[in-house]
Structure formats: structure tokens, C-alpha cells
Amino acid sequence: MSDPGSAKVLVVGAVNVDLVVSADRLPQPGETVVGPDVASHGGGKGANAAVAAARAGAAVRYCGAVGDDEMGAAALAELSDEGVDIAEVARVAGVSTGAALIVVDPSGENQIAVGSGANARVDPDRVRVAVSRAADWGAGCVLISTEITPRAVVAAVKAAADKRIPCVVNPAPVLDELVEVLSIPDILTPNSSELRDLYARTPSAGADHGSLTETEMAIALAEGLEVTVIVTLGADGVLVVDPAGGATSVPAGPVETVVDTTGAGDTFNGVLAASLAAGDDLVVAARRGVSAASMSVGHIGARTGMPTAEAIERAALLET
């Protein structure tokens, strides 16, 4: 990373508690599978990315909401222990903290159901204030995940643009309201299915979009919206497409054993944001994010395998 000490990132998104069951296989519709145990981990795409950015060396502030319950207190304590500033996180009375129910099979594939809880109460005005304070703080990147209220997502995107802070949006899930502001962020980071969903909802989409390749859709989106599109492709790394349609493939790093892919995308987004905030160029930041994501899948839980800045640097040296 160019200068990790200078990297400042504001993350806006969901805070969840992940309940993870490891099973011999993923359940079919209507089927029950039984695993030997259940593990509880901190989660939420935004919160996971914040931890990844902090471990990568960035100073990180978080804006979101949790319930006024024990799960919320534990979730905030975990973030704080990772060095994430939680002053902008609301404690909402009368609702539960968000939770994700996750089943993982021996290959690391997963199925996830999320209960939004307090994430559905993230206040747009609070988000605007957090972005304004981040601008005064000198933030080099605002990273937004979309597991919160659509109005809060749109508020974050517009506020980052107003304050001229580079903005990365992870459109997971793709919200109808987000489509209206897709040309505002600097970078969109969909996975393959989200890319197809985004493309299908844009005016440039044709009737035959189902037959287009990921590269063709990413180029069409990037050129049409005049934004950078980075498509996360799991074991195939990422595809970086700039607003002029130039495409660069960044392969995944070596992985000895895949244990759990939960949080790999969040790891990528967090390290990408931290690297951009530190002054790395886009492809270098993407390479660092991919390397970190590859390291993260060797452990159960979204955050357990997220690497430190030192581990990312060692991997970068090995790759060069």
C-alpha cells in the first residue's frame, strides 16, 4: 500500500451477527440438514468490509445501526476491538440487531438468509452527517454496502459526491432506487449475478442481454454510466473495467484449501477501499483486494481469515 498511515475510510452499511452451521451439504428447498454445531461471528457486508480495511492498515469510521440488545452491544464491541470507530453507529430501541443465518458445505459454498433488523432503520440524515464529518476528517474513500435502507444508500452516494470523496458502491443486493444514481459513484463492485441484474435494469440493456458475457456487460455499464466497474468472480479473481471500456483481469491468489467463502467479497471491498484511500492506483488496489480475499477463504467465518497489512504485503512481494 502506498501509505497505509494516511488511509482514511468511511464505511456505510449493515451490521449483523452471523450464525453459521457447517453441514455435509447445502439443503434443498424444504429440506433440513443437520450440522454438528453452530458458531456466532460478527457480520454484515459493510461491517465485514470495515474490519478488512482496518486490518489492511486504514483508519476506519463506520456508519450504520444496531438494535439496543445484547447482540448489538457485542457486534459494536467486535468492531471497536478491530480499531473501527463506531461513533456514527446508532443504537435503535425496540428492534433487533440484524442477523444472518448461514449454512456452509465442505467445499466452502454457502447459503445465506438475512434478517435486516436495525439495518432497516439506518437514517439518511445521519448518513449525510457522517459523510460530512468524514470529509472534514480527510477521508480518502467512502465505501457503501446496500443491505440498509434504499434512502440511506442514495443519501450516502449523493453526499460523497457533494463532498468530492471517492466513492465505492458494493451493490449487494441491487436496489431499484440505486439504479437512479448508478452514474454518481466512482466505482461499482458487483459479483457476476449482480452485474447481470444491474445491466438488465439500465437503459442500455438489450433484449438479448442474457447471452452477453460478463466482460461485455461490464464494458457496456462502465461506458454507459461513465464509472469504473469491478466484477468479483470468486476463484477467477476480478475484472476491472474503466469508464473508457478498458478491461483488465486480475487473477485470484493461490488458495491451499477453501473452507468458507463467506466474506471474501467483503474482504476485497474493504482492502480495495483502504488501498485507494492510501493512494494506490486502481489495478494495484484491486490486486491487493484479490490477494486478501484469496487468503480469507481458508477459515470459517466472514472475518476470521481476513489478513493483516503485513500478510497482504508479504503476498504482494511473492507475486512480484
Side-chain angles (χ1 to χ4, degrees), residues 16 20 39 43 60-61 106-107 109-110 122-123 199 202 204 207 231 243 246 252 258 283 291 301 310 320:
N16 288 331
V20 184
V60 182
R61 290 183 177 182
S107 73
E109 288 299 320
N110 58 61
V122 176
D123 180 53
Y199 181 81
T202 61
S204 60
V231 187
V258 176
V283 173
S291 180
E310 292 77 12
T320 56

Side-chain angles (χ1 to χ4, degrees), residues 226-246:
E226 298 184 345
V227 302
T228 295
V229 177
I230 303 179
V231 187
T232 55
L233 301 169
D236 293 325
V238 301
L239 174 68
V240 181
V241 182
D242 64 41

Side-chain angles (χ1 to χ4, degrees), residues 58-108:
V60 182
R61 290 183 177 182
Y62 198 83
C63 180
V66 297
D68 190 16
D69 54 17
E70 290 184 6
M71 288 200 306
L76 293 184
E78 283 191 57
L79 287 175
S80 185
D81 288 346
E82 292 284 354
V84 177
D85 185 332
I86 57 172
E88 304 285 3
V89 180
R91 297 290 301 270
V92 184
V95 297
S96 65
T97 297
L101 310 179
I102 304 171
V103 181
V104 181
D105 74 11
S107 73

Side-chain angles (χ1 to χ4, degrees), residues 10-290:
L10 171 68
V11 182
V12 181
V15 180
N16 288 331
V17 174
D18 291 350
L19 301 176
V20 184
V21 173
S22 297
D24 289 339
R25 56 188 175 82
L26 301 180
Q28 298 297 316
E31 181 185 21
T32 298
V33 297
V34 178
D37 202 357
V38 59
S40 176
H41 305 276
K45 290 182 181 298
N48 292 342
V51 170
R55 290 192 189 175
V60 182
R61 290 183 177 182
Y62 198 83
C63 180
V66 297
D68 190 16
D69 54 17
E70 290 184 6
M71 288 200 306
L76 293 184
E78 283 191 57
L79 287 175
S80 185
D81 288 346
E82 292 284 354
V84 177
D85 185 332
I86 57 172
E88 304 285 3
V89 180
R91 297 290 301 270
V92 184
V95 297
S96 65
T97 297
L101 310 179
I102 304 171
V103 181
V104 181
D105 74 11
S107 73
E109 288 299 320
N110 58 61
Q111 288 180 345
I112 305 174
V114 176
S116 294
N119 296 311
R121 304 289 186 90
V122 176
D123 180 53
D125 289 335
R126 190 180 186 96
V127 168
R128 293 185 191 96
V129 170
V131 174
S132 180
R133 288 174 177 161
D136 294 339
W137 177 52
C141 185
V142 174
L143 172 61
I144 303 164
S145 74
T146 59
E147 291 180 314
I148 55 176
T149 60
R151 290 176 57 241
V153 170
V154 171
V157 170
K158 291 183 176 179
D162 288 344
K163 295 297 182 180
R164 299 187 178 181
I165 308 174
C167 179
V168 177
V169 173
N170 177 220
V174 175
L175 306 172
D176 290 336
E177 294 83 354
L178 178 63
V179 175
E180 302 171 7
V181 295
L182 284 177
S183 62
I184 297 179
D186 298 273
I187 301 171
L188 300 172
T189 60
N191 64 19
S192 295
S193 62
E194 291 152 3
L195 171 69
R196 194 166 295 278
D197 198 0
L198 284 172
Y199 181 81
R201 298 184 190 207
T202 61
S204 60
D208 64 343
H209 67 270
S211 64
L212 296 179
T213 66
E214 288 153 345
T215 301
E216 290 169 329
M217 284 186 290
I219 290 174
L221 273 177
E223 292 181 336
L225 298 170
E226 298 184 345
V227 302
T228 295
V229 177
I230 303 179
V231 187
T232 55
L233 301 169
D236 293 325
V238 301
L239 174 68
V240 181
V241 182
D242 64 41
T248 303
S249 293
V250 179
V255 178
E256 291 185 8
T257 304
V258 176
V259 176
D260 184 4
T261 58
T262 307
D266 307 333
T267 302
F268 171 80
N269 279 286
V271 175
L272 174 77
S275 298
L276 292 172
D280 289 332
D281 69 39
L282 185 62
V283 173
V284 169
R287 287 197 179 111
R288 291 177 60 81
V290 168

